[in-house]
Amino acid sequence: MLKATGIGIGAGATALATPTALATPAGAADAPLAHPGLLHTRADLDRMAAKVKAGARPYAAGFAKLTANRHAQSGWRPNPQAVVYRGSGTPENYRILYNDIHAAYQNALRYHVSGEEAHADTAVAILNAWSGKLTGLEGSADRFLAAGLYGYQFANAAELVREHGDFDLGRARELMRNVFHPLSDDFLTRHNNAVVTNYWPNWDLTAIACVLATGIFCDERAVVERAVEYFKHGDGMGSVKHAIPVVHEGGLGEWVEAGRDQGHALLGVGLMGTVCEMAWNQGIDLYGYDDSRFLKGAQYVAKWSLGGDVPYTANTRRKGAIGGWSGSETASGVAGVDPSMTRPIWAMIANHYTKRRGLPASYLTRAAAKAAPEGGGGDYGPNSGGFDQLGFGTLAFTRGRVEGAAGAPSPSGAASDARGARPHASATPVPGDDLAATGSGDAVGWAAAAGVGAVAGGLLLLRRRGWGG
């Protein structure tokens, strides 16, 4: 088993040496990070509550999906462990962790929509229990997946209750700094002592998501910049130009992991979308980076997953351990697909490009409509793959109009990112084309999604407790 050493971060900087020093851009070092500011902003949470209270489609159906999930119940009781194991040769218990994190997230989200304080209290109890006991992640190389996936998810759940009077914010930050982040940052640096292309994109993307979430949650801008820099220029397969190495004429961006299998390609797209959304909420436009390269890759995977034909350029990658065994593997074509396979990833991505930016993306809207209303952990089977995304995108990310199409976000609403750079406002489609449209316009797809029945029931109690800082 390849091994790596995890090193924690201290307040304000990483303790782990990285190949290149990452300087915080001038003018950004003292700028405060926005909270809540991971997958959901205050405006997002207020929109969900107002839309569900009004019974608006498809928000109400998305909320009904949430309230029906067993993880979203206020009776959930945590089962914290001192050490979590994922991988062969160990008593695996990581299922306990991901089930508890999803229960915390779902209860916190349910509170923000309904105002029912019991759900906020449940989320806080779960998160406090784990931050008070968890000291390490161990196992095979899969421990890096555990750190990345459950790290970004823990931070997102905690971000939703960071102002709750009973929430131990300091202890939660220490858990992110000392348990989740070290493994993820070390993976981006050393890749488990393997050659840099040994691991497919989703390995890097779990780590990027965790590093970015840690930086935002712990208010450490240098850590945020570390994740952003890797997304753009990292050596591993999860950086955007390695995950999407070829952009074909007409606008489809080849997702390299489509040569592996459908499940992992969907995982990768979902993770890259998660990274882009968290960055966007801090005024950093990764969605639009490199002429909206991610849009082109997401369109490619959506078309392919819907059963469409897509091109694929043979890809050979080196494998092996540094100073040890070596080899190579070639993916010569796209893997087979099951059009019924889905993950709750599409609503967030489709709404960003079509509603925030006003760009056509018909494969994305079709995939989102087909998956609506999106559920979350527990709705896609009991195994870990069903818990890789936090989900509930129909509720959380549906947008009713084009928002901010002329520029990128910032916490203050300025049309620039956190570094003062203007974003790409267009993906420059081929004249007369719409980034590989299917002939079925976006409006058709969104009409299908909006037609999901509003079946949420019960009185929404929009009470909010005055939480102290």
Side-chain angles (χ1 to χ4, degrees), residues 183-375:
L183 283 171
S184 291
D185 195 54
D186 187 72
F187 186 83
L188 295 180
T189 303
R190 285 182 266 273
H191 288 88
N192 202 22
N193 292 332
V195 297
V196 73
T197 55
N198 185 76
Y199 292 97
W200 287 100
N202 70 86
W203 289 77
D204 268 0
L205 286 164
T206 63
I208 296 170
C210 179
V211 172
L212 180 60
T214 301
I216 295 170
F217 182 68
C218 296
D219 287 297
E220 300 200 27
R221 188 168 290 279
V223 180
V224 171
E225 289 300 321
R226 160 71 162 147
V228 170
E229 176 69 13
Y230 197 97
F231 176 94
K232 293 179 176 180
H233 304 299
D235 292 332
M237 295 189 72
S239 61
V240 66
K241 292 183 182 179
H242 291 142
I244 309 167
V246 180
V247 175
H248 295 278
E249 184 177 357
L252 287 180
E254 185 173 302
W255 190 267
V256 68
E257 208 156 358
R260 182 186 183 189
D261 61 58
Q262 183 184 9
H264 285 97
L266 293 173
L267 169 60
V269 170
L271 287 167
M272 190 170 283
T274 294
V275 169
C276 289
E277 185 69 16
M278 292 190 296
W280 177 272
N281 287 334
Q282 295 300 326
I284 303 168
D285 185 13
L286 298 182
Y287 276 120
Y289 177 71
D290 192 26
D291 199 27
S292 297
R293 195 178 191 95
F294 176 50
L295 167 60
K296 298 165 186 176
Q299 280 269 82
Y300 176 100
V301 174
K303 179 182 180 182
W304 169 60
S305 293
L306 289 166
D309 293 329
V310 293
Y312 191 87
T313 305
N315 180 281
T316 299
R317 63 190 183 93
R318 291 181 59 233
K319 300 172 62 177
I322 296 174
W325 67 277
S326 63
S328 65
E329 180 180 46
T330 299
S332 56
V334 291
V337 297
D338 175 0
S340 68
M341 180 185 292
T342 189
R343 287 177 181 261
I345 64 174
W346 299 115
M348 177 175 64
I349 303 166
N351 273 279
H352 171 80
Y353 285 115
T354 66
K355 300 298 179 65
R356 276 189 184 139
R357 306 305 286 267
L359 295 173
S362 11
Y363 295 123
L364 288 175
T365 53
R366 285 179 58 196
K370 184 176 180 180
E374 288 181 354

Side-chain angles (χ1 to χ4, degrees), residues 283 407-418 422-423:
S410 75
S412 63
S416 62
D417 70 12
R422 291 289 300 183

Side-chain angles (χ1 to χ4, degrees), residues 33-49 59 62-63 66 101-102 104-113 123 152-163 212-213 216-217 270 273-283 287 344-345 347-349 351 356 374-377 389-399 403 409-411 464 467:
L33 295 171
H35 299 290
L38 287 171
L39 284 175
H40 313 301
T41 66
R42 171 57 57 198
D44 293 332
L45 297 169
D46 289 346
R47 180 184 65 247
M48 294 179 224
Y59 304 90
F63 185 63
L66 173 64
I101 289 175
H102 280 255
Y105 172 78
Q106 291 181 27
N107 272 278
L109 189 62
R110 185 170 179 177
Y111 162 73
H112 280 286
V113 177
Y152 96 77
Q153 292 173 359
F154 183 94
N156 269 276
E159 183 78 351
L160 292 179
V161 295
R162 67 183 294 133
E163 295 181 351
L212 180 60
I216 295 170
F217 182 68
T274 294
V275 169
C276 289
E277 185 69 16
M278 292 190 296
W280 177 272
N281 287 334
Q282 295 300 326
Y287 276 120
I345 64 174
M348 177 175 64
I349 303 166
N351 273 279
R356 276 189 184 139
E374 288 181 354
Q389 283 83 31
L390 289 168
F392 300 104
T394 305
L395 168 65
F397 302 111
T398 297
R399 299 175 187 279
E403 299 176 7
S410 75
R464 295 194 183 276
W467 292 350

